[in-house]
């Protein structure tokens, strides 16, 4: 379908990639939700003198992703820390064009 290739600019391609790798489209009655999960573990690497707090680094990164996702989808997304993962969640209370576009791109599949 050529129209999909024309539609997929860099921003849309990045969002679609995130959804393919880590996302789920969820419909529960009138509520539609895009959930993108970023799992993490506390790992130690021997021989490295610098420690990295993966949770904080991931939260910071996901917050910047959230800002771009909000612009693309026209919704207010939230970031949740679930102890072993960080979840970016976008809720659609209406059947918006953005939600319909996601459903079209994914052929009606949820994940």
């Amino acid at each position: 379908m050529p129209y999909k290739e024309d539609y997929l600019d860099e921003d849309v391609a990045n969002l679609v990639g995130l959804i393919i790798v880590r996302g789920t489209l969820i419909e529960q009655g009138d509520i539609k939700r895009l959930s993108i999960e970023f799992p993490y573990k506390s790992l130690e690497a021997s021989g490295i003198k610098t420690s990295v707090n993966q949770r904080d680094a991931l939260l910071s990164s996901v917050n910047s992703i959230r800002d771009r996702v909000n612009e693309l989808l026209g919704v207010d997304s939230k970031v949740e820390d679930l102890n072993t993962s960080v979840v970016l969640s976008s809720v659609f209370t209406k059947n918006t064009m953005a939600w319909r576009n996601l459903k079209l791109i994914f052929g009606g599949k949820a994940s």
Side-chain angles (χ1 to χ4, degrees):
M1 300 177 151
Y3 64 89
K4 283 187 184 177
E5 288 96 26
D6 293 339
Y7 177 74
L8 290 175
D9 64 9
E10 186 176 324
D11 282 333
V12 175
N14 285 328
L15 177 60
V16 168
L18 278 174
I19 297 169
I20 288 171
V21 174
R22 306 204 173 276
T24 306
L25 301 172
I26 303 161
E27 292 189 71
Q28 298 169 321
D30 291 339
I31 304 296
K32 295 135 185 64
R33 179 186 322 270
L34 166 60
S35 180
I36 303 172
E37 183 175 6
F38 302 87
Y40 68 89
K41 289 187 202 180
S42 292
L43 300 174
E44 289 185 25
S46 60
I48 296 177
K49 296 181 189 217
T50 304
S51 72
V52 175
N53 183 321
Q54 287 186 329
R55 178 190 160 274
D56 290 347
L58 188 57
L59 278 169
S60 176
S61 296
V62 173
N63 278 320
S64 67
I65 292 169
R66 179 197 62 212
D67 295 341
R68 190 66 194 122
V69 168
N70 286 348
E71 288 177 32
L72 287 170
L73 299 178
V75 296
D76 288 326
S77 303
K78 67 179 182 175
V79 176
E80 298 175 89
D81 180 6
L82 302 179
N83 293 328
T84 59
S85 66
V86 173
V87 176
L88 174 63
S89 182
S90 304
V91 175
F92 301 80
T93 56
K94 298 179 182 168
N95 196 24
T96 65
M97 186 64 100
W99 180 259
R100 287 185 250 172
N101 286 345
L102 290 174
K103 296 291 285 184
L104 177 68
I105 289 168
F106 289 100
K109 293 189 167 81
S111 63

